[in-house]
Each structure stands twice: as C-alpha cells, then as structure tokens.
Amino acid sequence: MVWRIKSLEQANTSRPVLGNLLEVFAMASACANIILIKKLSSRYNTWSLTGMQICAGTLFFLPGIRYISILDPSIWTMKLVGLLFYLGICVSFLSFGLYNWGISKIEASRASIFINLIPVTAILLGWLILGETLNPKQIAATVIVIFGVFLSNRQ
C-alpha cells in the first residue's frame, strides 16, 4: 500500500498545517489533563475537580458568546433550554466527572485507553437511537477500536 500525502493546494482546508498543530496541542492538553487529575485526585474530590474544570472551560469560551444572539428572546425555547441543560449536566458534568473518578481509581495510562471508545459510542448511539446506517468501513473501524481497547487492557 502506498501512502500519498496531499499537497497544501490539494487539501480540503485552507490551513491544514495549523489544523494539525492544533490537534497535536489538543492531544498534549488531554495528556496533561489526565496526569493532573491523577495527581490532584489523591488530595481533592474528583467531583470538585470536575466542577473546577467546567468553570475554567466556561471562562475560556466566554469571549465567544459575543457571536451568539443570547439577548434575542425568540431563540429561547423550552427545547433549547432542555438541550443546554442536557449538555451542561449530562454531557459535561457527568461524563467528565465519571471519567475523572475512573482516573482516580486506576492507572492513568490504562484510563487513557478508554478515550478511544468515545467515537465508537457516538457511532453506536447514532445507529441505535437515530437510525443512522453504517458502511462496512465504519463497522470495521469500530470493531478494530473495540478490539484494540480490549487488547490493551489484557493482563
């Protein structure tokens, strides 16, 4: 199999190098987060750490609120409020809280393996709940990721 790298002119984005550098930074940040949570969870409650993470994330993204018309009362429907509540409590607080709790209970290297199941979970929930279809490549990739996580956690 021959791997071909697209030139910058052929790429589907205007700045692929920047995108790749930001992805590397995101992965480095995730690694730093796992190490910090592992160290801090021996002294602090994991749910308190999760609350601090959410507050820090809120402050980080707060400048972007100027691009959203939050003062327009026509956008505030019960559906929107419900979705925001779900994203804040279930997706952010519960998922990060449970992940932080897991990091506090097992080795950080072992806990980090489970991050690979996030896209698999999204694909499976899309298939189960939304009725989305999966092509053979997606099914194969899902099986490979599950097998890789299983293989990585064997004694």
Side-chain angles (χ1 to χ4, degrees):
M1 176 183 281
V2 177
W3 293 94
R4 296 182 189 208
I5 300 173
K6 291 182 178 181
S7 69
L8 293 180
E9 294 81 28
Q10 294 172 324
N12 293 331
T13 181
S14 60
R15 300 192 325 203
V17 174
L18 175 63
N20 288 334
L21 288 175
L22 289 173
E23 181 66 26
V24 168
F25 179 71
M27 292 298 105
S29 298
C31 292
N33 176 58
I34 291 170
I35 293 166
L36 288 170
I37 291 295
K38 183 65 179 173
K39 290 210 176 268
L40 290 172
S41 65
S42 64
R43 292 190 322 196
Y44 301 104
N45 181 302
T46 53
W47 295 102
S48 298
L49 292 172
T50 303
M52 287 185 248
Q53 281 180 303
I54 289 173
C55 288
T58 301
L59 291 174
F60 179 79
F61 288 109
L62 204 55
I65 204 164
R66 68 176 181 232
Y67 298 109
I68 302 171
S69 303
I70 61 168
L71 299 177
D72 182 10
S74 65
I75 67 166
W76 291 100
T77 63
M78 286 307 292
K79 182 178 180 181
L80 176 65
V81 172
L83 289 171
L84 290 173
F85 182 78
Y86 170 76
L87 288 171
I89 299 298
C90 296
V91 175
S92 295
F93 190 72
L94 285 178
S95 62
F96 279 111
L98 291 172
Y99 187 70
N100 290 344
W101 178 79
I103 289 172
S104 73
K105 301 297 179 196
I106 63 175
E107 303 89 32
S109 60
R110 195 165 183 190
S112 65
I113 293 167
F114 290 98
I115 288 179
N116 295 306
L117 293 176
I118 293 172
V120 171
T121 304
I123 287 172
L124 292 176
L125 288 175
W127 175 67
L128 287 171
I129 296 172
L130 301 175
E132 295 180 356
T133 57
L134 302 174
N135 64 38
K137 287 181 183 179
Q138 291 170 322
I139 294 169
T142 301
V143 170
I144 290 169
V145 170
I146 292 171
F147 180 71
V149 170
F150 173 75
L151 191 64
S152 299
N153 279 299
R154 278 191 356 187
Q155 295 290 337

